[in-house]
Each structure stands twice: as C-alpha cells, then as structure tokens.
Amino acid sequence: MKFRPVINYNSNQHITQLDAIRGWAILLVLLYHFYADHISFLGIGWAGVDLFFVLSGFLITGILLDTKGKPAFFKNFYVKRVLRIFPVYFFVLAIMLYVIPAISITAIPDLPYYLKHQPWFWTYFQNWLFTFQGYPTDRVLRYTWSLCIEEQFYMFWPFLIYRLNTKNIIRVLLIFIITANLLRLIQIDGWNDNYKYVNTFARLDTISIGALIAVLIRTRKDILEKYTPFVMVLSVTMLVVIIGYKKSLYFGNLYAAFTFLALLFGSIIIWSLSSNIPRGLSIAVNNRTMIFLGKYSYGIYLYHVPIHFWVTTGLLDYLSNTGSLNIYTTLLIKTAILLITIGISVLSFKYFETPFLKLKKKFTVRK
C-alpha cells in the first residue's frame, strides 16, 4: 500500500491525541451502558474496554521502556500507579459496600455476594472470582473485572521489561497473544464460561498488542509504518466476517475476535501519531470534548456503573409504577444521569484524586 502512516512520536511530550482516544473509549462504554437497550447498534460499545486495554498497554509499556535503567525504576512506577489507581477505586468500593447499604439495605440487590467475597474486590482479583463462580446477579460492581486485568498485568510486567532485552520482550508478547487465543478456544473444567471475557490470561492479547506497538515504535518504527495499513484492512475485514457469522455485536469471545479488535485499535493509535493522519481521524483525535472526557475517563468509568444501575434504575422503576414513563422520558433521564456522572467525576478529580496525584513528586526518586 502506498498510503502509509509517517509516525511522528515523542514520548517525552504529552500527546493530546491519546487523551482523545481515551475519551472515545469511555464514550463507547457510556453509550453501551446507558443506551444499548434502546439503540441496538450501540451494543458495540462494550469494545471501549478493549480500546482502554490497547491504549494502556501502549502507554504503560512505553513508560517502563523509557525509564528502564533509571534510579528507583520499580519504586517510581508502582508509587505512581498506586497514587493514580487505588484511592478513587477504594473510595467507590467503600461507598458501594458500606455507605449505600447503610442508607438503603435493598439498594444493592446482590450485596450479600459482594460482602461475602469482598477480599477479592479489595485486592483486584474479582475477575478470578467471576472465572470460578460466575457473575453476581446485579451489575453494580461487575464491571471492575477490567481493572483487575490491568493491575495484575502490571504486577509482573515491569519485572519482565527490566530483565529482558527487546527481542525477548517481543517474543513474550507474542506468546501472550497466542496463549490468550488458545485459552478462548477451549473450555476449562471448573471455570465458568465467562472466563473467556474476564480472565487475565484469556485477555492478555489486547494489552499485549498495545505493548508491542510501544516496543516497535521505539525500535522498529519502519515496521509499523509499512504494515499498519494492511493490518487495519485485515482487522476490519475479519471483524465484519465475525459479526456476520455471529449475527450479533456481542462477538468478543468468538475465536480471535478480541485480537482483531485490538489490532484495529492499535492501528488507529499508530495513525493518530502520524504526521499524515487522515482528515477524519484527525478531527476525531483532536476533538476537545473527547480530550476532556479522556482526562476524566478513569473516574467516569468507576462512577458511572454504580450511579447508572442504582440511581437510574430506581428512578425509572418509580416512574414506571406511576405510569408516566415513555421512551423519550427514559432517554432524557439517562442523559441527565450521564451528565451528572461526568460532573461528579470532574469534582472527584479536582478535589479527591488530584491531592494524591500531587504526591507523585514527593515519592518519585530522581537523578
């Protein structure tokens, strides 16, 4: 193909295009959770989580590669991760497990399940709980499985980056991708079938593709520039075939679907870092609204599900009982709750998360 990306990437600079891609990821998730029941094509919004995975693999692996060999490599990485990820997650967990039940014991339908298994949630291992026992009956904290996969990956990934050379890092990532696909082809005795969606080892291909791009963009940029157009066309073609075969937008665990989806998202990331970026993509990754959503995406992700499946559901049930509910009222209420959720996330970032983020400078070891 003559039309190839010309990558213009400097890891020392803050790249707003990647913020926008994060914004698109959270928007997909929001559209899925709030509107997919009413607008069928928004069912594809579940793929926003996979976009998060690819982007996270790219960004975090890049940080590890750029800081490899520098003082306090492990301490700096883990301190920054803890200060960014833990406070708001534990805050939401405490609210849902203790504060809300104190207000209304029936607000969280499957509260006994969460309380019984709460050590899994406090340690970021609930995706393994879901692997062995299946999902809880409500969705209030089910979505947190995706955070587990990232945190578990980053428990060991820095050690591999530190110990291995570039060629061996690439080999390990390819093994991860192959292993994930093999795991999704079989059924493991004693594991709930949903492990193909929530288990760490069955989902490592998505993060690994992002990580692979981070390695190649620093060592063999020419490979990405040469093959990205082909990979993008291949991934789109295969996804269309898979959707046609499945006859559903919920196609994730079908064969290599997750891998092709990750390859598509990886291609988009590469094109977004190109100096000859296509006009349509340029508009998408320079959109101020998407950049805004990307900045607050972590808080939005954590807050939106409990708010939606607690507040929205309760309000809609009440209006339904009064006979004053229709599709337009439903969509209006959901949109209002969505905007309130974004507002709460902005306030959380400013007044709760930022003080922890400022501590990064205090605990970071420099030369």
Side-chain angles (χ1 to χ4, degrees), residues 53 89 113 120-121 123-135 141-153 191-192 194-203:
F53 283 161
Y89 171 74
Y113 173 96
W120 297 83
F121 288 85
T123 56
Y124 285 96
F125 276 95
Q126 59 265 40
N127 67 318
W128 285 91
L129 173 66
F130 301 161
T131 292
F132 299 135
Q133 297 194 17
Y135 293 128
L141 289 173
R142 186 193 302 180
Y143 70 108
T144 55
W145 66 268
S146 63
L147 304 177
C148 302
I149 290 178
E150 291 198 31
E151 293 311 300
Q152 291 164 33
F153 181 71
W191 287 22
N192 188 282
N194 65 30
Y195 83 86
K196 297 175 183 179
Y197 187 65
V198 302
N199 185 265
T200 305
F201 295 112
R203 296 304 310 272

Side-chain angles (χ1 to χ4, degrees), residues 60 170 316:
I60 299 300
I170 292 175
L316 292 178

Side-chain angles (χ1 to χ4, degrees), residues 66-85:
D66 292 341
T67 57
K68 183 177 179 179
K70 293 184 178 180
F73 170 77
F74 293 106
K75 178 182 177 181
N76 286 347
F77 175 76
Y78 285 114
V79 164
K80 289 179 179 179
R81 289 294 295 176
V82 165
L83 291 173
R84 180 66 190 102
I85 301 299

Side-chain angles (χ1 to χ4, degrees), residues 199-248:
N199 185 265
T200 305
F201 295 112
R203 296 304 310 272
L204 279 185
D205 53 331
T206 314
I207 294 180
S208 296
I209 286 172
L212 184 60
I213 294 171
V215 175
L216 292 177
I217 207 169
R218 289 165 171 79
T219 58
R220 290 296 307 273
K221 186 171 65 173
D222 59 302
I223 292 178
L224 296 178
E225 292 176 336
K226 182 177 181 180
Y227 292 106
T228 291
F230 170 76
V231 170
M232 177 172 266
V233 171
L234 174 66
S235 59
V236 170
T237 302
M238 292 306 299
L239 288 172
V240 170
V241 170
I242 290 171
I243 292 172
Y245 173 80
K246 187 84 171 183
K247 295 182 174 59
S248 171

Side-chain angles (χ1 to χ4, degrees), residues 134-182:
Y135 293 128
T137 56
D138 67 43
R139 296 187 177 187
V140 172
L141 289 173
R142 186 193 302 180
Y143 70 108
T144 55
W145 66 268
S146 63
L147 304 177
C148 302
I149 290 178
E150 291 198 31
E151 293 311 300
Q152 291 164 33
F153 181 71
Y154 298 126
M155 286 179 187
F156 65 83
W157 188 231
F159 295 92
L160 293 178
I161 292 285
Y162 186 79
R163 297 290 299 177
L164 300 177
N165 59 32
T166 299
K167 287 185 178 179
N168 285 329
I169 291 172
I170 292 175
R171 291 189 181 106
V172 167
L173 290 171
L174 293 176
I175 290 172
F176 286 163
I177 294 169
I178 294 170
T179 299
N181 279 279
L182 291 176

